[in-house]
Each structure stands twice: as C-alpha cells, then as structure tokens.
Amino acid sequence: MLGIRSRRRQGVILSILAVLGVFLVVMVMFFVDVAYMQLVRTELQAVTDAAAKAACESIESTSTVASIRQVALDVAAENLVDGRPLVLDVADITVGRSDLQADGSWLFQAGATPFTAVRINSQLSDAKASGAARLFFADAFGAGDFSPIQQSVASQFDHEVVLCVDRSHSMCFDLSGVDDSYPERDEDPNWDYSLTDYCHRPHINSRWTSLRAAVDVFLSSVASNNASQQQR
C-alpha cells in the first residue's frame, strides 16, 4: 500500500512540473520579447533624436528644406534600429520654427520661417521602408512583429546670451587703474557742470564707457554675422 501511494504522488508531481514547465516557457518568451520591444523603442528614439539634431544644426549652413531633410536621412541611415539602418521617408521630416509660449513651453510651427527647428516622426512598420520590428517568440501567439513610433523635435538658437555688467560707483573711475581717480572734466565735451559728482551718468574715458563700447562691439558682431538667425 505504501508503494502505491508513493507512485501516485510521483505522478501528481510530474503533472505539476509539466504544467509549470509550460508556464515557465511562456513567461520566458513573454519577458524576452517585452525587453526587446523596449530596446527597439530606445534605439528608435536615440536615432530619431540624432537625425533631428543633425538636421537642425545644418540649418545655419544651408537654406533649402531639401538639403536639411537630406542630412536627417543620411544620419538615420548610418544608425541601426532592430539591427537594420533606419530608413526615413521625406514626409517624416518637417522643417519649421519653435516659438516660446507664455507658459514657458515651446511650440513647433511647421514651415514657419526663419527656420530654427526640425521635427521627425519615425516608425517601424510594414508600411515604411524599414519594415516592422520582428519579435522572437510572439509569432507563436499570432503577433510576430510590432510597430514602434517615436517623435523628436530639435531646436537651435545660436545666441542665448545674458550680459551681467557692473554699474557700481567704481565704474565711474578712469582707466588708470587707481581707485577714486576720475576722468578729467576737460576731456568730456558732454560734461554737465551742473552736476557735482560722477554718479549721474558715465563720462568719457571712464570704465563704464569702455564697458559699454565693448558690449556694443559684441552686439554688432552678433547682428552682422548671424543676421538670418534668431538672437535672444
């Protein structure tokens, strides 16, 4: 009787192991495919970002939408997604402008000029040249591929500059490097003799006047060398 009960127990355990084995295989298949889907999504986003950034950087050196799009196409084709070069369609690449909104967000305006931004919508699907991403085990469940979609907007502003300048009393000193040494009144044709000190406005040959002249040179250089770009 003991032997019979023992054999029955072994049979039950084998049945349980068979069921658990099938469940374990299904779980492994599921997690492998899910992990691979996440990998492909990450690869697609990284390549889309790189293509959008490269195309945006080319705006300064080219003036045609076709050439900007070509940069995006070339960069995408040089990078792998799902083990294959990413092939974008021309329609996936939009050139335009990014505008700062009142709430602090940025709004992409397709086709707006001057061009400062590029938007790329990328997708792996059978409707695209790159094709859909293939899975390892999902075919057994009737889903052998999936079609991830990613978007990237790259914006470029060549000049985002803040100038913090000193307007303390020492900026009224002359250029001798000596504290409390002021420009001679006779050297300033705009001297206002009704003033009794040097604090009302910067005078010729003062540190402040030199600083202002340097800032004017900088702003003029920015304006002349980058007239086609937005400056902030």
Side-chain angles (χ1 to χ4, degrees), residues 74-144:
D74 294 341
V75 171
E78 293 174 358
N79 293 272
L80 302 181
V81 179
D82 190 31
R84 300 163 290 162
L86 177 61
V87 180
L88 295 174
D89 294 338
V90 172
D92 297 331
I93 308 165
T94 306
V95 183
R97 188 182 71 227
S98 287
D99 294 323
L100 181 63
Q101 305 301 295
D103 61 359
S105 64
W106 291 87
L107 177 65
F108 178 79
Q109 303 279 0
T113 57
F115 296 143
T116 61
V118 176
R119 182 181 64 195
I120 296 180
N121 296 311
S122 59
Q123 181 180 6
L124 297 182
S125 72
D126 290 334
K128 298 289 185 177
S130 293
R134 303 302 173 184
L135 299 176
F136 295 100
F137 303 107
D139 220 4
F141 304 97

Side-chain angles (χ1 to χ4, degrees), residues 36-187:
Y36 188 70
M37 290 170 66
Q38 185 59 41
L39 173 63
V40 172
R41 289 192 184 98
T42 302
E43 290 178 341
L44 182 60
Q45 185 65 68
V47 176
T48 305
D49 290 344
K53 182 177 180 180
C56 188
E57 290 178 348
S58 72
I59 291 177
E60 187 173 355
S61 59
T62 183
S63 59
T64 65
V65 173
S67 58
I68 296 171
R69 284 174 168 168
Q70 189 59 51
V71 171
L73 293 172
D74 294 341
V75 171
E78 293 174 358
N79 293 272
L80 302 181
V81 179
D82 190 31
R84 300 163 290 162
L86 177 61
V87 180
L88 295 174
D89 294 338
V90 172
D92 297 331
I93 308 165
T94 306
V95 183
R97 188 182 71 227
S98 287
D99 294 323
L100 181 63
Q101 305 301 295
D103 61 359
S105 64
W106 291 87
L107 177 65
F108 178 79
Q109 303 279 0
T113 57
F115 296 143
T116 61
V118 176
R119 182 181 64 195
I120 296 180
N121 296 311
S122 59
Q123 181 180 6
L124 297 182
S125 72
D126 290 334
K128 298 289 185 177
S130 293
R134 303 302 173 184
L135 299 176
F136 295 100
F137 303 107
D139 220 4
F141 304 97
D145 55 49
F146 79 110
S147 301
I149 299 174
Q150 300 289 9
Q151 183 183 93
S152 180
V153 177
S155 302
Q156 175 174 299
F157 299 96
D158 286 343
H159 300 287
E160 295 275 347
V161 180
V162 176
L163 298 179
C164 300
V165 297
D166 178 10
R167 188 58 182 96
S168 61
H169 180 71
S170 63
M171 297 301 289
C172 296
F173 299 164
D174 60 23
L175 304 178
S176 65
V178 179
D179 290 350
D180 299 314
S181 177
Y182 299 95
E184 295 293 335
R185 297 186 181 187
D186 294 340
E187 297 177 357

Side-chain angles (χ1 to χ4, degrees), residues 10-30:
Q10 290 177 356
V12 172
I13 292 173
L14 288 174
S15 300
I16 294 174
L17 289 176
V19 173
L20 291 178
V22 173
F23 177 76
L24 180 61
V25 171
V26 171
M27 291 298 295
V28 170
M29 295 166 58
F30 174 78

